[in-house]
Amino acid sequence: MSHDHPHALPEAPERLALPGSVQGLAVALVLVGGAALGWAFSRGEAQLAWSAYLIGAFFALGLGVFGAAWLAILYLARGAWSVTMRRIPEAMTAWLLPGGVLALAAGLGARSLYHWSDAEAVAKDALLTHKAPFLNMTMFYSLVGASLLLWVVFGAALVGVSRRQDKEGGIGPSRTARTLSALFLVVFALTISIVSFYLLLSLEAHWFSTMFAVLVFTDVVQTGTAFVAVVAGLLVAAGKLKGFLNENHLHSLGKMVFASTGFWAYIYFCQHMLIWYANLPEETVYFLKRTSNGWLPYILLLPVLKFVVPFLLLVPRKAKRRAKRLVPLAALIVFAQFWELYVMVGPATGHGGEAAHAHLPLVELAATLGFLGLFTIVFGWSLARHDAVPLKDPALAECLDYHS
């Protein structure tokens, strides 16, 4: 609950900056990821390299777009409890421009990733020929590029309104932000579908799922919320926003992580259940691929990482209020998103009669860590450019008085 009585503002905190050790680790991860991709290309394993690139690019892109989506959701919900941690999702949106360009660059590896990009294969396949007006590189670059551009524009607009409020104060910027948020969430629902269809679903152009875009949305929400929890938890543990961010705010954030974990499990089960009871060959092929050629342990481990472990360990109230318990569980969820993308992409790289065989995803993990390192560098740069807390937001006093 919250209280309406005035609250004396604590001393304004210094601007947030990533510790030198974190910045150094991020640079090291970028080098490791680049080396892994270079090694794969040098060995002539273009399919491995491009699939690893796609996993890493989409992983980081999801974090970036979640920043804008989370801002929009909380503006519309008038979630005053989150005001003092707003700089985290704002900084996440800084990745949308470089991350969008890097994600779009996956089209350069289309011949290794997407069966439908091969004109000869399309000519011999009636279904691919039927889908050719949608599945072609012109539409790929046009629709994905337009979607990513909209994310950049709306992300910049939401952050821009927040910066205006930092200078002018007042309720006006908050109202403008709510209008932008309502528009963006409608656009986001459409564009996340387009981006997920082209970058991920079309890896298996013969397969379809009416739940796929919803599943990707839950992935973005779960992973993004977990990332915010990691950063907020570390800030509380380090005492960086003392007086502005405390266990009450962490508790509500932890409840969001907990809820998104259950939401993911519900959507993932729904996709499986719909395919299982319909038992149509053009649908069951997705799970048949992931239960053969060594993939079964990988797909069985996925719900354990993304649901069973975090759900059970987040049930206690203390697990959602204490940084030392919330941060490791949130970090596990972030890693689990890599695992899910690997299970999505890895088995799909076998085209025609060539089956993709399971393997330890060392190159894929290294590439994803490289993208995470790049994301962290951009995130830290953006975080340090502005005041740590939006001191002129009218909802700040309510946020400081928040109890849960």
Side-chain angles (χ1 to χ4, degrees):
M1 63 180 179
S2 59
H3 304 278
D4 295 327
H5 61 270
H7 192 291
L9 292 181
E11 183 180 352
E14 297 180 356
R15 290 188 176 186
L16 300 173
L18 296 181
S21 58
V22 175
Q23 296 180 37
L25 178 60
V27 172
L29 291 178
V30 173
L31 295 177
V32 169
L37 290 176
W39 176 83
F41 278 119
S42 68
R43 290 174 55 89
E45 298 187 40
Q47 192 171 72
L48 172 63
W50 279 113
S51 62
Y53 180 93
L54 176 62
I55 291 170
F58 198 90
F59 176 92
L61 183 65
L63 293 176
V65 75
F66 174 79
W70 204 56
L71 286 171
I73 291 169
L74 290 174
Y75 271 126
L76 288 176
R78 306 196 183 195
W81 63 270
S82 64
V83 169
T84 53
M85 65 178 78
R86 184 184 298 158
R87 297 309 188 214
I88 300 173
E90 287 180 353
M92 292 167 73
T93 65
W95 177 253
L96 286 174
L97 180 56
V101 172
L102 290 173
L104 197 60
L108 299 176
R111 292 298 295 269
S112 298
L113 291 171
Y114 305 111
H115 197 40
W116 51 263
S117 66
D118 186 341
E120 293 184 6
V122 172
K124 298 175 183 178
D125 191 311
L127 185 57
L128 292 183
T129 300
H130 177 71
K131 294 184 177 183
F134 181 74
L135 292 180
N136 61 76
M137 293 311 298
T138 300
M139 293 292 284
F140 176 94
Y141 284 118
S142 299
L143 293 180
V144 175
S147 299
L148 296 174
L149 180 60
L150 285 170
W151 292 357
V152 172
V153 170
F154 274 100
L158 287 169
V159 173
V161 169
S162 179
R163 298 292 173 263
R164 180 159 64 88
Q165 190 171 59
D166 291 341
K167 295 177 181 179
E168 304 171 2
I171 193 65
S174 295
R175 290 172 175 162
T176 301
R178 286 196 284 271
T179 301
L180 286 172
S181 298
L183 293 172
F184 173 65
L185 289 181
V186 174
V187 170
F188 178 62
L190 298 173
T191 52
I192 190 66
S193 301
I194 292 171
V195 173
S196 62
F197 286 166
Y198 274 109
L199 292 181
L200 297 177
L201 182 61
S202 73
L203 290 166
E204 298 175 275
H206 289 84
W207 179 68
F208 64 90
S209 169
T210 56
M211 298 293 296
F212 191 81
V214 183
L215 178 62
V216 172
F217 169 74
T218 63
D219 289 334
V220 169
V221 170
Q222 185 188 27
T223 311
T225 309
F227 180 84
V228 174
V230 169
V231 178
L234 292 176
L235 289 174
V236 169
K240 290 292 185 181
L241 292 178
K242 191 173 183 180
F244 289 92
L245 193 63
N246 56 46
E247 63 181 11
N248 293 295
H249 304 105
L250 276 189
H251 189 199
S252 284
L253 183 57
K255 286 188 285 187
M256 289 188 71
V257 176
F258 181 71
S260 66
T261 299
F263 185 37
W264 177 87
Y266 169 70
I267 297 300
Y268 193 80
F269 172 76
C270 283
Q271 176 174 262
H272 181 272
M273 180 188 67
L274 290 171
I275 292 173
W276 173 76
Y277 79 66
N279 200 27
L280 300 175
E282 58 268 31
E283 294 181 350
T284 56
V285 63
Y286 181 86
F287 287 103
L288 290 176
K289 278 187 177 182
R290 286 156 181 80
T291 54
S292 58
N293 296 307
W295 289 105
L296 182 59
Y298 292 84
I299 194 171
L300 290 179
L301 183 58
L302 176 60
V304 175
L305 294 175
K306 291 209 78 172
F307 173 65
V308 177
V309 173
F311 184 87
L312 293 178
L313 295 182
L314 281 171
V315 169
R317 187 170 186 264
K318 291 181 180 180
K320 297 185 279 287
R321 295 176 67 86
R322 296 184 179 179
K324 65 180 181 180
R325 296 179 65 175
L326 179 60
V327 170
L329 290 173
L332 173 65
I333 292 172
V334 173
F335 169 77
Q337 173 64 3
F338 156 75
W339 198 262
E340 181 170 9
L341 286 171
Y342 176 57
V343 171
M344 281 184 180
V345 175
T349 55
H351 300 308
E354 300 178 7
H357 293 268
H359 59 274
L360 285 177
L362 299 180
V363 174
E364 292 88 345
L365 178 60
T368 302
L369 290 175
F371 273 97
L372 181 59
L374 275 176
F375 176 87
T376 302
I377 292 170
V378 174
F379 172 79
W381 166 80
S382 179
L383 198 63
R385 293 180 65 217
H386 306 285
D387 293 338
V389 175
L391 296 173
K392 294 186 179 181
D393 190 312
L396 179 60
E398 184 180 354
C399 177
L400 296 179
D401 277 335
Y402 183 75
H403 295 276
S404 65

